[in-house]
Amino acid sequence: MKPIIAVELAGYMRTFNDCFRSWTNLLDYDNFDFHFFVDTYTESGILPLNPPRTQGYDIDKTDIFDFSFLKESVDVKYLGTEETDSAVNLPGWDVSRIGCMYRKILRCNKQRREYAKNNNIDYAYALRVRGDLFFTQKIDLPNTLDTNKIIVPAR
């Protein structure tokens, strides 16, 4: 049996569907199995380019994210969603916006721990990954995970 890695995605999915094709550089199915835990918003969270935003994030509440690609592509063990609330749309880095982001990360992590406990799973690793990351090169997970390195793809 291969070791299992829990992949935690928290926050807006934004460009996940476009970026996910690059995740073949991250998801090493030859050496690991992957369980996904997602805590996100119903809206995609894509920000308008024109006109430039002037008041907070200006999230378009009609731009609902389609989760079908996510569900078809990976083994999703938890998918929690909620509508964007007013605290996320505040201008700047208001404390309540930071709290909203951190709450998503904590909820995602809590679901992973509960799932592991209820299903007697000992995850080899838990990866906290943004859904809008694009991996341009192969990541050697077996040799990278035990080095205490933070992997940040170049833009």
Side-chain angles (χ1 to χ4, degrees):
M1 181 177 206
K2 294 187 276 188
I4 304 171
I5 293 178
V7 179
E8 298 181 12
L9 296 169
Y12 286 108
M13 296 298 283
R14 292 196 200 333
T15 56
F16 173 82
N17 290 345
D18 296 325
C19 293
F20 186 73
R21 70 181 182 276
S22 76
W23 286 35
T24 55
N25 286 324
L26 172 69
L27 303 177
D28 179 359
Y29 284 104
D30 291 335
N31 294 298
F32 301 98
D33 286 326
F34 296 88
H35 291 174
F36 276 69
F37 297 85
V38 182
D39 202 292
T40 186
Y41 298 95
T42 53
E43 303 87 6
S44 71
I46 295 176
L47 304 174
L49 296 176
N50 269 324
R53 64 182 190 247
T54 57
Q55 293 284 329
Y57 261 49
D58 300 325
I59 298 298
D60 180 357
K61 294 188 136 230
T62 64
D63 183 16
I64 304 303
F65 188 78
D66 179 5
F67 292 98
S68 57
F69 179 70
L70 170 72
K71 294 175 184 176
E72 294 166 4
S73 302
V74 296
D75 188 2
V76 177
K77 299 301 184 186
Y78 168 76
L79 175 58
T81 63
E82 65 183 353
E83 288 184 11
T84 298
D85 64 16
S86 60
V88 174
N89 270 330
L90 292 173
W93 283 100
D94 183 89
V95 155
S96 59
R97 271 195 60 219
I98 295 168
C100 289
M101 292 186 308
Y102 191 58
R103 182 175 54 83
K104 288 284 187 205
I105 293 168
L106 290 176
R107 284 179 19 169
C108 192
N109 193 43
K110 178 183 177 199
Q111 292 299 322
R112 178 201 38 96
R113 287 191 323 255
E114 286 180 8
Y115 185 87
K117 180 180 177 183
N118 294 339
N119 293 279
N120 199 29
I121 295 175
D122 184 21
Y123 287 107
Y125 302 96
L127 298 179
R128 164 75 175 100
V129 183
R130 288 181 53 115
D132 56 359
L133 290 180
F134 193 89
F135 295 91
T136 59
Q137 61 190 27
K138 187 80 173 166
I139 303 216
D140 185 359
L141 284 180
N143 291 323
T144 303
L145 289 173
D146 289 326
T147 64
N148 291 322
K149 289 182 182 177
I150 296 174
I151 302 167
V152 180
R155 290 187 177 247

